[in-house]
Amino acid sequence: VGGMSGIISRTLTAPLELWKIQKQNYFMPNSTIKDVVKKEGIRYLWKGNFTNCVRIFPQYSVNFAVYGKINKSLETHIKNKNMRNLTSGSISGAVAMSAVYPMETIRSRLALQTNKGHYSGIFDAFMKTTIKDKYKGLRMSLMGFAPYNGLNFAFFFNYKKILEKYCSGEFVNLISGGFAGMSAVTITYPTDLIRRRLQLQGFDTSVPKYSGILDCCKRIYAQESIKGFYRGLGACYIKIFPTVALQFWCFEKGKKLLS
């Protein structure tokens, strides 16, 4: 159920995800939706989505499965539900991200190339990208995705509890998921931008070169000021609400159907 919820939510919002990545990496050539449609065609608004689905199925399968297992085991140790959801979500997020990280890097590179200028597909990108490059940005991802995932679960169940007082049905899961995603990404967004920059090291001559996380932070601040860390946040909000709303809706719906 976790895997299917990830595939459905990401596929339906793939053009918005592409737009967000383009905003984060504005220095890349042809990095606008208009350029993609003009030079490659409308279907290329979904470029990198197949790779994303190959990545997202195991990631969210592991994510939701580990979350459920850890949350249950922590019931006797952590009585506070919010803290338990935050802890379980953070651990499951770190485990899931570590398991599939090379595919996350490949997806970013495929999404930002034009007319297959660098790679012909997933396999070609995987073979041409070194092991070191495949894992660039992993530390930043763990620092960002683990708390993002934990906050996602914590916010979702909190919003759901509040909304259930006023309404019921599928609407509750959709709205709770959407606001949970927006709340979590507001706190952790700079880590997503930094890891994306690090993933693209060595990909194209237009990509600024960074020696590590600290160097990346210093140079972004020096060249773009504080707002540089939030570049693309508006696009992210537009993308994250339907993505996480659909993700939690599919997860809750799927659990009921498969039980």
Side-chain angles (χ1 to χ4, degrees), residues 1 7 15 17 27 35-37 45 62 79-80 87 102 108 110 115 128 131 141 146 151 158 161 180 198 214 253:
V1 174
I7 285 178
E17 173 68 9
F27 42 78
D35 284 331
V36 172
V37 173
L45 294 177
V62 171
K79 299 299 180 183
N80 185 285
T87 303
S108 295
L110 288 174
N115 288 321
K128 287 181 178 177
I131 293 291
S141 291
L151 288 166
N158 265 318
K161 188 177 179 181
L198 293 174
L214 286 177
K253 189 75 172 176

Side-chain angles (χ1 to χ4, degrees), residues 4-6 8-10 12-13 60 64 148 152 156 159-160 163 169-183 236-254:
M4 287 307 300
S5 71
I8 292 169
S9 62
R10 264 54 181 191
L12 291 176
T13 60
Y60 275 85
F64 281 107
Y148 164 78
N152 238 342
F156 173 73
Y159 287 139
K160 188 175 179 179
L163 286 174
E170 312 297 341
F171 179 79
V172 172
N173 289 328
L174 281 167
I175 298 301
S176 299
F179 279 115
M182 289 184 72
S183 300
C236 184
Y237 279 147
I238 295 171
K239 170 257 177 182
I240 206 76
F241 191 95
T243 301
V244 183
L246 288 165
Q247 179 182 301
F248 275 109
W249 178 81
C250 290
F251 183 66
E252 294 294 306
K253 189 75 172 176

